[in-house]
Amino acid sequence: MALLDILVYPDPWLRKRAEPVTEVDGDVRRLADDMLETMYEARGIGLAAPQVGDGRRVVVIDVSEEHDTPRVLINPEILERSGEASGEEGCLSIPGYYDEVVRATWVRYRALDRDGQPFEDEAEGTLAVCVQHEIDHLEGRLFIDYLSELKRKRVRKRMEKRERQVSAAG
Ligand code: ZN
C-alpha cells in the first residue's frame, strides 16, 4: 500500500465528474487500499478518488472510532433519502475549515464492494452525512458549495494563500 497526495481546493481535479468503474480489478482494489491508508493517515472519515487525482468513482469511508470498519464504495448511488439536519462538516481537501451543512439524516444507497459485488445498504447519522459528502465529490461538488458565495470566496482565498505558503516552503 502507498500513501497518496490529497489535493487541496481549488485544485481542478476536485471539480471533475468521476467516471464509472467498468471492472473491479486489482488496479481498482489497489486504489481503494491506498485511499484507505491515506484517509487513516490524514485522520479523515472518508475520501473520494478525485481528491487523490483519480477520475474513477471510488469512495472509502470509516466512521468507526476504532478505525476498524473500512467501507469501499465503487460506483455508489443514493437511491432514497429522508430527514434533514444541519451539522458541522469538514473536508480533507479544505484543511482547517468547518461549517454547517444541511443534509439528509438517512439514505439508502447501492454500490459495488471491493470484490465488485453489488450491495445495497442504509445509513444514518455520521455515516449518512459521509456517504452524501463523498458521492458529492464524485460529481465535482464540495461541501462549501452549500454555503453562501461570500463564504466560498473567503475559503478559496484562504486555501490559495495556504497553497502559496506551501510552495514557498518548497
Ligand atoms: Zn471531502
Side-chain angles (χ1 to χ4, degrees):
M1 297 212 281
L3 284 178
L4 307 168
D5 285 332
I6 298 175
L7 304 174
V8 170
Y9 176 74
D11 190 288
W13 266 105
L14 300 170
R15 289 306 191 187
K16 282 186 193 164
R17 187 171 188 273
E19 296 291 328
V21 171
T22 48
E23 192 196 344
V24 180
D25 55 12
D27 192 52
V28 173
R29 277 191 282 277
R30 197 173 316 116
L31 171 66
D33 293 345
D34 288 346
M35 283 171 60
L36 276 169
E37 195 186 357
T38 303
M39 177 190 78
Y40 287 131
E41 171 78 16
R43 297 175 186 281
I45 57 172
L47 189 66
Q51 294 181 273
V52 293
D54 191 295
R56 288 175 284 185
R57 299 181 85 79
V58 178
V59 158
V60 296
I61 292 174
D62 188 345
V63 296
S64 71
E65 272 177 32
E66 293 78 21
H67 298 163
D68 59 359
T69 316
R71 288 167 211 264
V72 174
L73 276 53
I74 298 164
N75 300 342
E77 273 176 84
I78 290 175
L79 302 170
E80 220 183 315
R81 54 183 96 209
S82 73
E84 217 180 62
S86 175
E88 192 173 72
E89 252 174 75
C91 179
L92 290 175
S93 293
I94 309 172
Y97 186 78
Y98 301 87
D99 214 326
E100 295 281 323
V101 177
V102 175
R103 301 268 192 192
T105 52
W106 174 92
V107 294
R108 195 161 62 82
Y109 67 96
R110 71 164 163 232
L112 304 177
D113 66 15
R114 192 181 172 280
D115 298 316
Q117 294 302 310
F119 70 98
E120 249 184 62
D121 207 354
E122 295 175 8
E124 55 183 358
T126 306
L127 181 58
V129 169
C130 198
V131 166
Q132 293 169 79
H133 178 118
E134 300 311 328
I135 292 179
D136 271 358
H137 271 301
L138 301 180
E139 298 300 323
R141 200 180 302 132
L142 302 169
F143 85 92
I144 51 170
D145 297 349
Y146 298 100
L147 309 177
S148 68
E149 200 183 333
L150 180 67
K151 273 190 178 177
R152 204 158 51 240
K153 277 184 182 158
R154 279 193 196 141
V155 174
R156 193 188 171 106
K157 269 191 190 145
R158 188 161 144 184
M159 292 301 140
E160 282 171 342
K161 198 173 160 195
R162 181 186 173 277
E163 195 70 0
R164 277 198 300 275
Q165 283 164 349
V166 171
S167 333

